Amino acid sequence: MARGGRIKDRDVSERRCIATGETQPKAGLIRFAVGPEAQIVPDVLEKLPGRGIWVAADRDALTKAVTKGLFSRGAKQKVQVADDLVDQVEAAVQRNLINLLSLARKGGYAVQGYEKVKGMLANEMADVLIQASDGSARGKSKLRRPEGDDSFIGILTGQELGLAFGRENVIHCALATGGLTLRVVEEAKRLHGVRGNGGDMGSLERFETT
């Protein structure tokens, strides 16, 4: 992510969603592959062999692909689709987001804790503010997110954020420019879409300093 909230293009490759029929950048889609027993497998990391089948990272689109038999059409063969496939996708995207945050922490691009985050924001060293979805609204309102688009993530719970930092519970986190910050933002957007109405990417809300 560039300063001022401008995100640099990382992968402009596009794919067509089998549910919506729309073509869009891969960053906003989920890839699926056909397993050895003709079962549909979520390929969140896009590493499985074979021809990929793509669905928008949107709970309604994923549900439609499952219930309307669209995976068989996309695979050009009859395939097996698990009833809980959408939940599998959510779990996989969640794990990947937590892993990316953990790697960002190890690389020195992510900090947690109110005072550290406050200092990072005050020194204009943070590109993204992350706060637990289940944290105190009053406590979260004391920190102001950085300027620009995609500068706030509120999709993870305190326990989920804690997993990324090796702690039981984390409420406040900040990401610096560079490193895995762009990938974290992209994955948070995907999780936001897959969860439907769960969580917040901060597009409609801005926390002000008190």
Side-chain angles (χ1 to χ4, degrees):
M1 176 179 293
R3 296 303 302 172
R6 298 186 306 276
I7 292 182
K8 298 177 181 178
D9 292 334
R10 180 173 63 85
D11 185 356
V12 295
S13 298
E14 296 184 333
R15 296 293 186 273
R16 183 174 179 272
C17 170
I18 63 171
T20 66
E22 297 177 355
T23 298
Q24 65 182 79
K26 292 197 312 182
L29 298 160
I30 305 292
R31 184 182 191 270
F32 295 85
V34 180
E37 298 181 0
Q39 78 275 26
I40 289 296
V41 181
D43 182 23
V44 170
L45 299 179
E46 302 176 15
K47 292 183 177 181
L48 295 179
R51 179 175 178 272
I53 302 169
W54 300 82
V55 183
D58 175 84
R59 197 168 192 88
D60 290 339
L62 289 163
T63 300
K64 179 180 178 180
V66 171
T67 59
K68 299 295 185 180
L70 301 183
F71 283 105
S72 290
R73 185 186 305 173
K76 298 183 177 2
Q77 69 179 81
K78 186 173 179 57
V79 294
Q80 302 297 318
V81 181
D83 293 337
D84 66 342
L85 184 64
V86 178
D87 291 334
Q88 289 181 32
V89 172
E90 180 182 338
V93 176
Q94 178 223 47
R95 286 194 301 271
N96 194 40
L97 175 55
I98 290 171
N99 287 338
L100 287 171
L101 276 172
S102 179
L103 290 172
R105 170 183 64 84
K106 293 174 183 177
Y109 289 93
V111 300
Q112 67 83 29
Y114 179 82
E115 292 300 332
K116 289 183 179 179
V117 171
K118 181 180 179 181
M120 199 170 176
L121 291 168
N123 292 324
E124 298 185 350
M125 297 174 61
D127 262 3
V128 180
L129 171 64
I130 304 175
Q131 293 183 308
S133 59
D134 54 351
S136 163
R138 180 177 176 80
K140 291 192 293 183
S141 69
K142 295 179 180 180
L143 295 176
R144 180 177 180 176
R145 77 180 193 183
E147 295 290 339
D149 298 329
D150 299 325
S151 61
F152 178 77
I153 296 172
I155 189 65
L156 295 172
T157 66
Q159 185 177 34
E160 289 171 332
L161 279 174
L163 293 173
F165 288 89
R167 295 178 175 274
E168 184 175 345
N169 197 64
V170 168
I171 303 300
H172 310 284
C173 168
L175 295 174
T177 304
L180 295 170
T181 294
L182 173 57
R183 291 181 61 191
V184 170
V185 170
E186 290 177 343
E187 202 66 1
K189 286 183 177 180
R190 292 209 297 178
L191 184 59
H192 183 264
V194 171
R195 284 186 171 175
N197 60 358
D200 176 29
M201 282 295 295
S203 59
L204 300 177
E205 179 178 11
R206 180 170 186 148
F207 293 133
E208 300 293 340
T209 305
T210 58

